[in-house]
Amino acid sequence: MAILTTVGLMAVPSFYDFAVQYDISKIFVLALLALSMSFLWGYVGILSLGQTAMFGLGGYVYAIVAMNSVDTATAALIGIVCPTLFSAVLGYFLIWGRIGDIYFSVITLAVTLILEKAIRATSGDRFVIGKVRLNGQNGIPGVPSLEIPWEAKATLFIDGVYYLTAAVLILVYVGLRLTLTTGFGQVLVGLRENRRRVELLGYDSRHYCLGAFVLAGAVAGLAGVLFAVWGNFVGPSLFDLDRAAQIVIWVIVGGRMTLAGPILGTALVVTLTTWLGTQGVGQVTLALGAMLTLFVLLFKKGLLPTLSELLSAVARWAASRRAAR
Amino acid sequence: MFEVVAIYAYQILFSISIFILISLGLAVIFGMMKVINLAHGEFIMLGALFCAQLAGAGVPLFLSIPLAGLIVGLVGIVGERLVIRYLYGRVLDTLLATWGMSLLIVGAVTTFFGPQTASTPQDLGNISLGTFSISVYSLLMILLAFALLAALYLVWRMTRAGLIVRTTMQNAAMAQALGIDTDRVFMLTFGFGAALAGLTGAILVPLFGASPTMGAFYIAKAFVTVIAGGPLPLTGTLAASSLFGMIDGAVAYLTTSVLGEISVLFVAILLLRFLPKGVTRGLKGRV
Amino acid sequence: MSAPILETRQLSKTFGGVKAIDRIDFSLAPGELRCLIGPNGAGKSTFFKMLTGQHRPDGGQVLLNGQDITAAAAHEIGRLGIGIKNQIPDVFDGLSVAENLTLAARFILPKAAAARKVAEVLARVQLEPMAGRLVGELAHGQRQWVEIAMVVAREPILVLLDEPSAGMSVEETARTAELIREINREATVVAVEHNMQFIRSIASRVTVFHRGRILVEENVDKALSDRRVRDVYLGRSAA
Ligand SMILES: Nc1ncnc2c1ncn2[C@@H]1O[C@H](COP(=O)(O)OP(=O)(O)OP(=O)(O)O)[C@@H](O)[C@H]1O
Ligand SMILES: [Mg+2]
């Protein structure tokens, strides 16, 4: 199944044009962001609404370093390291004092909102890092794509970005799955199930929460770097409330208790919002709001798990009918 | 010299009163009812918007402001009946559902009123302090912020309604056994909190205008204030507002407003590292 | 008598005006198997929760082998070797029985040794056939065993069991009594119980709690025939 999916994804560029590849790569990148949230929320049981902070930081750091004519591979690395460190520091302050889970969610949201405001305020000549103007509201255009190491002066084009993002998504997905099977990962699952019991067994839950938060921060930072590579642009909307809300929606629609669900959720919702976006202003937010509210009220487990439950119920019903005859 | 001190004091008081105003409704809904209301910023926005609309239609400002608050209170009650009431006790779900509501409101307002900023003039004039001038309206706003907080405190501590609400929030089952219609108390308290948020928006509109996305501007500040305030919602809001208002006012005055906000968040996170239950943790008192 | 493994001094806890635990002095010799009894609301569970860092005492001290652990966090106490089965089953419902035990054993042992430990404990509590089942799907009595097994897998020095036989059938109760005696070979045990027969079958010494205070501390037969104990159990007020 997994191998089939991989082969199928890798074959897309031979059948579809650049426009399709471009759209799908975006979904891959955003799915990484969804993974970073669902890993934390679905497995550790903490909801970080600030994954956009790491995402935005990753994008901005990559853009600034790469445009200061450092080679892009180094820039990408720094672009991942910075948000990872940031989440370590932020996580330490929030997790070590044992602040309540819900406060954790709200404060992480506040962090990303304030980062957004800070970035928006960086217009003008005063805000220049090296050769790069931060440009406030307007963001930084012309962010270079990744250089291809084995070809001089060549950078990844749309198909290259497609392969790269697909490969990264698959690797991160597999990596997180494997992490969950380690001793560390098992404790994380235990934390979601029953934090008190984990503590009573002698584990200091804070180490594990922080570890998971930093790992998720790294994944979100990576997504940010790839987003900058993909769109050749970074702007304050990387951090904003709409995007933060969308990640939650992708994860909820896909169902947070699995890692594959959120990827599908992202694909579904992004496709829908992109389509809605072509229909007029305002409606996208409206639709997202309606989706979020309805899902919380009606499909607690997420659309895909609910659908699969429904399907198996129908299958059981059909089987019993057949047995009766 | 006197002028500089006065203007400085004014700046800080102004900033504290903004923190108080934007946190009041949340202190009721989140501090007392434990509903994480992410639509709080949108309630403020609706208050601003309705006030601007009413004033634009010729209603005098001093009438538009309470009217706008009232309408937002009704909006809050509708939201409570349709969504929130199914989610009491499910903290995370209320957070998500109110976030959905917040997006819905922003989307609806953008669709019906457009994305532009509405503004409302006020004609109370300025008083001058040497080379500086201060608007009378903002002085009034400062007074109003403290008056509202004091009034809320009195309502909570002294009136029967306040007692009923506190009983219900502490132990709904017990309150019900005493013959209190807790369902209605929840509904009205939520509406009351929403109305306070709407009132805030209306009070602020002559100073800052109204636009559909302005809610995001306040939500972070409001939550940080109420969370740092801790278990006594009103005392805590006053304490946290004073602290954050001072920091914000001072830093913003000396540098930029964004740096002011960043330092507030920074201080809040530091504070919560060592007082994770907020500044009023362990204090005796009721609100 | 040897130095106590566990001692509390003037331990107190108030919940909004209710004195759940009121200046308790309690002491336990190493290797003992003690039963804690008392009517509903006497403060037994609260006492256990203060010993394990789940509730912070308002006053007094808890000493484990002479070391003050009053302010220690739950995980630190877990590391020092106190294991607890809470009154309400406190397990990982979404994980299998084997995974539950692995989480407990992995903390003290490397992977291979932990696997052996899990197998051994599974055999001891007779849950081998259930090893792969989700704990959430098990019957109430079996979930209690899973929790006891988790405690045992951590190789604790002191085991606290809050109503281990509650909701169990007669055979299950007998099996649990046997299990507790087995645990007692390696660890000191305190069990909260209501079932008098069960108490007689495991313990020699009983501590009776009433309204947050120790009413009687005696050997089983004396304690259970004490008039004051009968009075509080029958609901009459013992002055
Ligand atoms: N978390 C809490 N908040 C408020 N009161 C509590 C809390 N936990 C216990 N109490 C109160 O403390 C007292 C002691 O309760 P505890 O659970 O320790 O009794 P118990 O002896 O274990 O009773 P049972 O036999 O019913 O389990 C009771 O009056 C109870 O209502
Ligand atoms: Mg009990």
Side-chain angles (χ1 to χ4, degrees), chain B:
Chain B
M1 187 57 215
F2 164 74
E3 293 153 26
V4 176
V5 173
I7 199 80
Y8 206 73
Y10 158 78
Q11 202 70 42
I12 284 176
L13 274 177
F14 181 81
S15 169
I16 291 177
S17 60
I18 299 254
F19 270 93
I20 292 178
L21 282 175
I22 62 176
S23 312
L24 269 187
L26 200 63
V28 171
I29 292 182
F30 173 51
M32 297 193 172
M33 302 179 69
K34 302 287 174 267
V35 170
I36 311 280
N37 179 26
L38 280 190
H40 178 69
E42 279 60 44
F43 287 162
I44 294 180
M45 179 267 285
L46 284 179
L49 183 81
F50 290 141
C51 182
Q53 294 281 333
L54 286 168
V59 181
L61 188 60
F62 72 92
L63 265 181
S64 310
I65 290 177
L67 270 179
L70 210 63
I71 303 176
V72 177
L74 293 177
V75 172
I77 286 181
V78 171
E80 200 272 350
R81 285 293 94 178
L82 289 179
V83 179
I84 313 290
R85 70 161 153 161
Y86 301 107
L87 302 173
Y88 286 120
R90 286 157 54 188
V91 186
L92 197 65
D93 287 340
T94 49
L95 179 152
L96 298 173
T98 51
W99 203 351
M101 275 167 59
S102 119
L103 296 172
L104 266 174
I105 296 175
V106 173
V109 167
T110 317
T111 311
F112 293 118
F113 295 92
Q116 72 282 6
T117 302
S119 61
T120 304
Q122 46 83 19
D123 43 18
L124 294 177
N126 296 313
I127 48 174
S128 53
L129 252 179
T131 48
F132 303 101
S133 85
I134 295 175
S135 90
V136 174
Y137 188 84
S138 49
L139 284 177
L140 268 181
M141 184 206 80
I142 295 174
L143 286 180
L144 207 55
F146 283 96
L148 273 174
L149 186 67
L152 196 57
Y153 187 83
L154 290 180
V155 167
W156 246 228
R157 284 301 304 272
M158 306 295 178
T159 66
R160 219 178 98 77
L163 182 65
I164 290 179
V165 171
R166 280 189 283 131
T167 315
T168 308
M169 298 313 154
Q170 222 150 62
N171 189 337
M174 187 79 90
Q176 210 155 24
L178 293 174
I180 296 172
D181 182 352
T182 52
D183 193 48
R184 249 189 66 193
V185 175
F186 276 110
M187 177 182 90
L188 292 177
T189 312
F190 192 88
F192 181 61
L196 279 174
L199 198 61
T200 298
I203 292 173
L204 295 182
V205 73
L207 298 170
F208 304 123
S211 74
T213 50
M214 69 189 265
F217 198 80
Y218 296 117
I219 189 82
K221 272 186 180 177
F223 264 105
V224 165
T225 308
V226 179
I227 290 178
L232 303 182
L234 295 183
T235 320
T237 298
L238 179 62
S241 294
S242 306
L243 175 66
F244 295 155
M246 250 183 272
I247 295 167
D248 193 24
V251 176
Y253 186 64
L254 298 174
T255 58
T256 66
S257 69
V258 171
L259 268 184
E261 279 187 39
I262 292 179
S263 35
V264 165
L265 185 67
F266 190 74
V267 170
I269 290 176
L270 275 184
L271 194 84
L272 289 170
R273 164 68 184 84
F274 300 104
L275 296 172
K277 300 269 157 46
V279 289
T280 55
R281 164 75 170 180
L283 288 189
K284 291 267 184 292
R286 292 192 192 88
V287 285

Side-chain angles (χ1 to χ4, degrees), chain C residues 44-45 87 162-163 192:
Chain C
K44 308 174 298 287
S45 301
Q87 184 168 356
D162 199 343
E163 309 206 359
V192 168

Side-chain angles (χ1 to χ4, degrees), chain A residues 32-45:
Chain A
L32 273 178
L33 192 51
L35 270 184
S36 92
M37 172 182 281
S38 71
F39 174 72
L40 266 181
W41 188 16
Y43 286 90
V44 191

Side-chain angles (χ1 to χ4, degrees), chain A residues 153-174:
Chain A
K153 296 215 182 302
T155 58
L156 287 180
F157 194 55
I158 290 173
D159 51 348
V161 171
Y162 176 90
Y163 285 123
L164 175 72
T165 51
V168 169
L169 178 61
I170 292 168
L171 283 179
V172 168
Y173 172 76
V174 173

Side-chain angles (χ1 to χ4, degrees), chain A:
Chain A
M1 180 69 190
I3 294 172
L4 265 180
T5 318
T6 310
V7 171
L9 286 178
M10 289 305 173
V12 164
S14 2
F15 296 103
Y16 293 98
D17 60 13
F18 284 148
V20 176
Q21 292 172 32
Y22 187 72
D23 286 346
I24 300 182
S25 327
K26 178 181 177 187
I27 292 176
F28 290 159
V29 175
L30 297 178
L32 273 178
L33 192 51
L35 270 184
S36 92
M37 172 182 281
S38 71
F39 174 72
L40 266 181
W41 188 16
Y43 286 90
V44 191
I46 50 182
L47 174 57
S48 161
L49 300 177
Q51 292 311 98
T52 42
M54 320 308 160
F55 180 72
L57 270 181
Y60 263 90
V61 170
Y62 170 78
I64 291 164
V65 177
M67 289 171 80
N68 276 305
S69 50
V70 179
D71 76 287
T72 54
T74 313
L77 192 67
I78 299 176
I80 298 168
V81 169
C82 283
T84 310
L85 289 179
F86 182 70
S87 53
V89 174
L90 178 65
Y92 166 75
F93 277 104
L94 294 182
I95 292 168
W96 235 251
R98 296 183 192 275
I99 190 179
D101 284 357
I102 203 74
Y103 295 168
F104 181 87
S105 306
V106 175
I107 298 283
T108 47
L109 182 64
V111 167
T112 191
L113 290 182
I114 295 210
L115 275 176
E116 181 207 351
K117 244 188 250 183
I119 294 286
R120 281 193 196 282
T122 57
S123 48
D125 298 331
R126 286 200 298 139
F127 298 98
V128 177
I129 299 182
K131 302 179 202 164
V132 185
R133 276 177 66 119
L134 291 181
N135 270 339
Q137 296 270 34
N138 301 319
I140 308 173
V143 178
S145 181
L146 278 172
E147 288 145 10
I148 304 171
W150 53 88
E151 268 175 64
K153 296 215 182 302
T155 58
L156 287 180
F157 194 55
I158 290 173
D159 51 348
V161 171
Y162 176 90
Y163 285 123
L164 175 72
T165 51
V168 169
L169 178 61
I170 292 168
L171 283 179
V172 168
Y173 172 76
V174 173
L176 290 179
R177 285 288 293 266
L178 289 179
T179 305
L180 287 171
T181 62
T182 62
F184 172 73
Q186 282 292 300
V187 177
L188 294 185
V189 180
L191 279 177
R192 175 191 68 191
E193 291 291 320
N194 188 337
R195 187 173 305 182
R196 186 178 52 235
R197 180 43 76 188
V198 170
E199 292 262 322
L200 289 174
L201 289 174
Y203 297 96
D204 188 344
S205 63
R206 297 174 301 180
H207 290 282
Y208 295 86
C209 285
L210 184 59
F213 186 60
V214 171
L215 187 58
V219 172
L222 171 63
V225 170
L226 289 178
F227 195 74
V229 167
W230 167 82
N232 307 117
F233 172 79
V234 291
S237 72
L238 259 58
F239 295 93
D240 75 7
L241 194 60
D242 263 15
R243 188 179 306 277
Q246 286 188 34
I247 310 176
V248 178
I249 295 172
W250 303 332
V251 173
I252 290 190
V253 168
R256 69 190 161 94
M257 304 304 255
T258 61
L259 287 178
I263 299 179
L264 293 175
T266 310
L268 257 163
V269 180
V270 170
T271 311
L272 181 72
T273 45
T274 312
W275 177 76
L276 279 177
T278 60
Q279 309 289 306
V281 216
Q283 276 92 329
V284 177
T285 319
L286 203 65
L288 287 175
M291 233 189 285
L292 187 50
T293 315
L294 282 180
F295 268 93
V296 174
L297 285 176
L298 302 178
F299 309 105
K300 272 215 69 189
K301 290 186 179 164
L303 183 63
L304 298 170
T306 308
L307 277 183
S308 77
E309 262 170 36
L310 217 70
L311 276 180
S312 63
V314 169
R316 247 178 289 134
W317 175 78
S320 71
R321 281 282 302 262
R322 227 175 301 131
R325 266 196 285 139

